[in-house]
Amino acid sequence: MTTLLYQTDSYLKEFSAIITAVDAETRAVVLDQSAFYPGGGGQPCDFGTLEVAGVMYPVEKVKKQGDDVLHFLGGTEPLPAVNSASHGTLDWARRYQLMRTHTALHILCGTVFRDHGAKVTGGDMDPLKGRMDFEFENMRAELVNAIETATNLEVQQGRDIRVKILPRDEAFQIPDLIRTKINLLPEGIMQVRTVEIVGLDLQADGGTHVKNTSEVGRIKVVDYKSKGAINKRIYIEIE
């Protein structure tokens, strides 16, 4: 079981860990703890390096498998042994861009839900750009411009972002905790991580975020499309 360090500290750039398993066929190692985000919820996995006994391995992919996090190592060096001590370092520039982007999408989601009552039907992101789908029957330029203005006002408010891990029963007493059209939380998940933009938004979420909306930067809506009768897509970029 890998302890997920990023869940309580998204700003952790480096960490030490013990290798608990090695898969030679896929060049993947499991660590007892990790700050690498393994991907999920539309947020891509982290990249970086893992140093073991003086050998620097590039971490080219990270993936969650059950309770473990697999770190796929590039290069041609022989794989490290189980129980080896290691030191992980994130590609921080990329991670921080993803944190800003993920928070920007939550600001967009919270603003649209507050002002229009529209739920999310999908989303995806890359560093400094992303898209989110909403339950809207109609989408027009005036509405999109109003949404862009409202989201940037929330950025300028400098709202704090708070992360908590709650028992499932307690978490689901929070109104509108699940903003997606479909509840994506499996029944077996007994603890729920929540991300709150104070005064704007509170959702169940497993990804990484900045500490304050002021870190996001300007949110620019660069396009919008109809993806169905009641499914409209908004594309954003972060400046």
Side-chain angles (χ1 to χ4, degrees):
M1 180 176 180
T2 305
T3 300
L4 309 177
L5 299 174
Y6 63 84
Q7 285 200 334
T8 53
D9 186 0
S10 293
Y11 286 78
L12 192 62
K13 305 175 183 69
E14 300 183 31
F15 65 98
S16 296
I18 301 297
I19 295 172
T20 58
V22 176
D23 185 338
E25 184 175 345
T26 61
R27 287 188 63 84
V29 299
V30 177
L31 307 178
D32 66 337
Q33 59 178 9
S34 180
F36 284 93
Y37 184 68
Q43 181 176 335
C45 72
D46 286 326
F47 302 140
T49 60
L50 190 71
E51 184 179 2
V52 186
V55 178
M56 190 73 72
Y57 299 91
V59 177
E60 297 182 340
K61 180 182 175 183
V62 188
K63 177 184 176 182
K64 200 158 189 298
Q65 183 173 281
D67 290 332
D68 295 331
V69 175
L70 301 178
H71 303 71
F72 295 86
L73 307 182
T76 58
E77 294 283 352
L79 291 174
V82 172
N83 294 325
S84 296
S86 67
H87 188 81
T89 302
L90 303 188
D91 177 345
W92 177 248
R94 179 177 179 277
R95 155 66 89 79
Y96 188 61
Q97 289 179 348
L98 286 166
M99 287 164 59
R100 291 169 57 204
T101 306
H102 201 161
T103 301
L105 289 169
H106 274 232
I107 296 170
L108 174 64
C109 175
T111 302
V112 168
F113 187 79
R114 179 196 66 195
D115 295 347
H116 307 283
K119 288 192 173 182
V120 174
T121 56
D124 201 8
M125 75 188 82
D126 287 307
L128 300 184
K129 62 181 180 180
R131 58 93 174 164
M132 190 160 274
D133 299 348
F134 294 97
E135 276 194 316
F136 274 110
E137 290 188 6
N138 299 298
M139 184 70 70
R140 61 194 187 280
E142 294 83 1
L143 176 59
V144 171
N145 290 337
I147 289 171
E148 180 183 272
T149 298
T151 55
N152 280 297
L153 284 174
E154 295 304 326
V155 172
Q156 295 162 18
Q157 288 291 325
R159 297 186 184 277
D160 288 334
I161 288 95
R162 297 174 182 168
V163 174
K164 293 182 180 179
I165 298 176
L166 303 174
R168 185 185 182 95
D169 290 345
E170 180 181 342
F172 276 85
Q173 293 176 17
I174 300 171
D176 301 313
L177 180 70
I178 307 299
R179 291 291 169 77
T180 50
K181 179 67 174 175
I182 301 171
N183 185 348
L184 300 177
L185 283 174
E187 289 296 328
I189 301 296
M190 300 313 298
Q191 291 200 318
V192 178
R193 184 175 181 266
T194 64
V195 174
E196 179 183 11
I197 303 176
V198 177
L200 175 67
D201 188 56
L202 175 58
Q203 296 186 50
D205 183 81
T208 60
H209 292 268
V210 295
K211 293 178 180 177
N212 189 281
T213 60
S214 63
E215 296 180 54
V216 168
R218 175 170 170 74
I219 300 171
K220 184 175 178 60
V221 176
V222 294
D223 199 4
Y224 63 95
K225 294 179 180 178
S226 176
K227 303 300 289 185
I230 55 169
N231 191 31
K232 304 299 181 285
R233 179 168 294 176
I234 296 176
Y235 297 87
I236 66 167
E237 292 183 0
I238 313 301
E239 297 178 343

